Amino acid sequence: MERRPATDIFHDWALVGKDEGMEKGHAFAVNEMLDFIFKQAQELPDKFSAIDVGCGNGWVVRLLKNHFACDYAEGIDGATAMIEKAETIDPEGNYSKRTLPEFEPSRKYDFLHSMEFLYYLNDPQNMLKLFFDQWINLRGWAVIGIDHYLENEESLTWPEHVGVNMTTLSINQWLEAWRNAGFSNIKHWRTGKDSSETLIIAGQKLA
Ligand SMILES: C[S@@+](CC[C@H](N)C(=O)[O-])C[C@H]1O[C@@H](n2cnc3c(N)ncnc32)[C@H](O)[C@@H]1O
């Protein structure tokens, strides 16, 4: 099958409402990611800021900003129709169309959340380095979920089925990439409602 840019494919998905199916499908793992974020947020002296990278229709941004200790939440995504949908649902929210890895943020965040985005990049290892250097405050965390990785065998046919390039790494390769990017306190676990399909990795910026 012909390969298309991921942002074009997800633009089309938003136009036909498939973003809502993703929201339902990803909710189980994302709830664990948010639980982790909200627990870490208790350690911070002040309210926290957060960004959701590859935010789709912005549903996680809205969960973040509704937390009592959150004072700023933002979402970015490279698919025009995803951002338009986010803005329609939440006109007061902070959503913008940005394409990675090119986009460089003008501020840093206490938490960077990202679900099912990173492996669409050709060089996710370098994106982790950029997240560490340019996106995350000292003592802040990145919390990232992915379903496409070597040990999740059923995910290995997705690039062909969906018609998009994906970077396939093993769990150990992902962990090495997080270490090489500079993260400390790296934690990982697998989860999922019906199987352990989502690999969640969290790491802290300590220096
Ligand atoms: C599988 S969807 C996940 C969306 C959302 N995180 C969720 O869980 O519902 C992946 C998202 O990443 C975005 N994306 C993929 N590659 C991107 C890139 N290079 N720059 C910006 N966004 C990108 C897509 O547009 C899409 O909305």
Side-chain angles (χ1 to χ4, degrees):
M1 186 194 264
E2 175 209 353
R3 302 281 167 112
R4 299 170 65 208
T7 47
D8 287 3
I9 288 178
F10 287 106
H11 171 80
D12 291 350
W13 281 32
L15 292 179
V16 296
K18 281 169 90 173
D19 54 304
E20 288 156 32
M22 280 199 297
E23 180 176 339
K24 286 198 188 83
H26 297 168
F28 188 88
V30 164
N31 281 337
E32 290 190 13
M33 295 161 72
L34 292 178
D35 280 350
F36 183 90
I37 287 174
F38 297 149
K39 196 165 158 220
Q40 297 306 324
Q42 292 172 6
E43 310 294 320
L44 298 178
D46 300 311
K47 290 189 164 193
F48 70 85
S49 58
I51 185 162
D52 187 25
V53 177
C55 67
N57 69 21
W59 62 283
V60 178
V61 178
R62 294 184 284 282
L63 292 173
L64 285 162
K65 86 172 188 179
N66 285 338
H67 190 272
F68 69 94
C70 180
D71 70 357
Y72 181 76
E74 178 179 344
I76 61 168
D77 197 285
T80 306
M82 286 290 186
I83 292 301
E84 286 174 354
K85 198 153 189 183
E87 289 172 336
T88 302
I89 298 168
D90 176 21
E92 309 297 316
N94 302 299
Y95 307 97
S96 36
K97 186 190 162 193
R98 307 287 187 210
T99 304
L100 281 86
E102 294 82 9
F103 172 68
E104 187 176 332
S106 56
R107 59 163 293 166
K108 291 188 170 120
Y109 307 85
D110 298 315
F111 295 98
L112 183 150
H113 173 281
S114 185
M115 177 61 183
E116 278 289 86
F117 154 76
L118 196 51
Y119 59 75
Y120 290 105
L121 302 182
N122 291 331
D123 190 352
Q125 296 97 328
N126 189 53
M127 193 72 243
L128 284 168
K129 286 196 175 104
L130 295 174
F131 283 159
F132 186 89
D133 291 339
Q134 300 175 352
W135 296 66
I136 300 172
N137 284 329
L138 196 62
R139 305 199 65 75
W141 289 83
V143 182
I144 294 181
I146 51 166
D147 290 359
H148 175 81
Y149 53 98
L150 197 63
E151 289 83 352
N152 186 15
E153 284 181 18
E154 79 171 37
S155 76
L156 301 181
T157 57
W158 293 354
E160 188 56 32
H161 280 153
V162 184
V164 66
N165 285 324
M166 299 181 187
T167 299
T168 310
L169 301 179
S170 66
I171 295 174
N172 277 339
Q173 285 172 318
W174 277 112
L175 293 174
E176 189 184 359
W178 280 70
R179 285 192 292 272
N180 289 342
F183 287 100
S184 304
N185 284 335
I186 298 167
K187 303 174 191 321
H188 77 282
W189 67 99
R190 291 173 75 180
T191 192
K193 197 170 175 194
D194 303 315
S195 64
S196 52
E197 68 173 6
T198 300
L199 171 64
I200 299 174
I201 306 183
Q204 191 175 21
K205 176 169 172 172
L206 286 182

